[in-house]
Amino acid sequence: SLTTFPASAEIVSEPLGVVLVISAWNYPFLLSLDPVIGAIAAGNAVVLKPSEIAPATSALLAKLVGEYMDNSSIRVVEGAVDETSALLQQKWDKIFYTGNGRVGRIVMAAAAKHLTPVVLELGGKSPVVVDSNSNINLQVTTRRIIAGKWGCNNGQACISPDYIITTKDYAPKLVDALKTELESFYGKNPLESKDLSRIVNSNHFARLTKLLDDDKVSGKIVHGGEKDETKL
């Protein structure tokens, strides 16, 4: 640009060697193939370890990659903790991991033994701030919150809103608006809605159920709270 003239910029693909990609379960195709494409485009060989928590996707990736890609350069390794641990014991030229901080520390520690560069894409906390002093459209605001939390894989995403920060006086109005718009999105019985994603497996369902049944939470649910494990 004029502001940096006469400088120039370019993307340089530098093949590092063999890359290990460990992907997550919440977006099992995207978070598997996106880093694999980048690694291939840069000239690397790749081993992909899909998440065992999304077994159907993992099996399909193994099948399709085995049939349509050069298996001397690109392989899929299926499995759970044991297989992942065995992979991490090997020497890689780069590791790309998407997931939680606990496993991220394990990946980083394993990579450090070989001074392997690592990319960690980890979830965090995503607050929503609703300023009661600004002239906001409450309907638009609540619809955006709902789309980000429930509409985006039913909250099973690292950037979904985790909590809302607002004033004590404004909170009841915001809660009422959320109730109205949630019903507009998913109907009076959201368990029957075809537009609401399901929880990925029984273990995660049990974890969320435990949170809802906690003494500090159960008495403060103002809308919803119904659950049905048979409809996962």
Side-chain angles (χ1 to χ4, degrees):
S1 67
L2 288 174
T3 56
T4 58
F5 182 82
S8 64
E10 60 182 321
I11 295 174
V12 180
S13 297
E14 295 182 318
L16 297 173
V18 184
V19 176
L20 173 64
V21 175
I22 306 172
S23 67
W25 54 266
N26 55 342
Y27 294 93
F29 267 125
L30 173 68
L31 297 177
S32 294
L33 296 183
D34 199 34
V36 166
I37 289 168
I40 294 171
N44 298 284
V46 183
V47 171
L48 169 63
K49 166 58 183 67
S51 174
E52 71 279 6
I53 297 177
T57 305
S58 178
L60 184 60
L61 283 167
K63 178 177 181 292
L64 294 178
V65 169
E67 286 182 8
Y68 295 106
M69 304 196 81
D70 181 358
N71 291 163
S72 67
S73 301
I74 305 160
R75 290 286 185 93
V76 174
V77 175
E78 290 193 274
V81 175
D82 290 343
E83 288 76 12
T84 305
S85 299
L87 285 170
L88 287 172
Q89 290 173 9
Q90 312 307 310
K91 186 181 185 305
W92 305 93
D93 297 295
K94 194 174 188 74
I95 299 174
F96 190 104
Y97 169 73
T98 304
N100 62 58
R102 179 182 59 81
V103 178
R105 291 182 179 90
I106 296 171
V107 171
M108 185 71 86
K113 295 177 182 178
H114 304 289
L115 297 179
T116 301
V118 179
V119 175
L120 298 179
E121 196 271 298
L122 310 176
K125 284 297 174 186
S126 307
V128 174
V129 179
V130 180
D131 184 1
S132 60
N133 295 320
S134 61
N135 187 23
I136 64 171
N137 184 318
L138 191 55
Q139 184 183 52
V140 171
T141 299
T142 51
R143 285 183 173 185
R144 286 174 176 171
I145 293 170
I146 291 167
K149 183 61 177 178
W150 288 271
C152 190
N153 203 14
N154 206 357
Q156 300 169 108
C158 59
I159 57 171
S160 72
D162 289 292
Y163 57 98
I164 298 172
I165 298 173
T166 191
T167 62
K168 188 175 290 187
D169 294 338
Y170 197 70
K173 185 185 291 188
L174 182 58
V175 169
D176 288 340
L178 283 166
K179 290 179 184 177
T180 300
E181 294 305 322
L182 275 168
E183 190 170 308
S184 173
F185 270 61
Y186 304 114
K188 292 184 180 296
N189 185 5
L191 291 178
E192 302 298 329
S193 174
K194 294 181 180 179
D195 298 316
L196 193 64
S197 300
R198 269 39 183 178
I199 300 305
V200 68
N201 62 22
S202 296
N203 288 338
H204 279 272
F205 183 88
R207 178 178 60 83
L208 294 172
T209 297
K210 186 177 179 180
L211 290 174
L212 287 173
D213 292 341
D214 186 275
D215 292 339
K216 296 179 181 178
V217 176
S218 59
K220 297 181 180 179
I221 297 173
V222 296
H223 184 73
E226 301 86 5
K227 47 191 178 289
D228 186 352
E229 190 174 359
T230 64
K231 294 186 177 180
L232 293 185

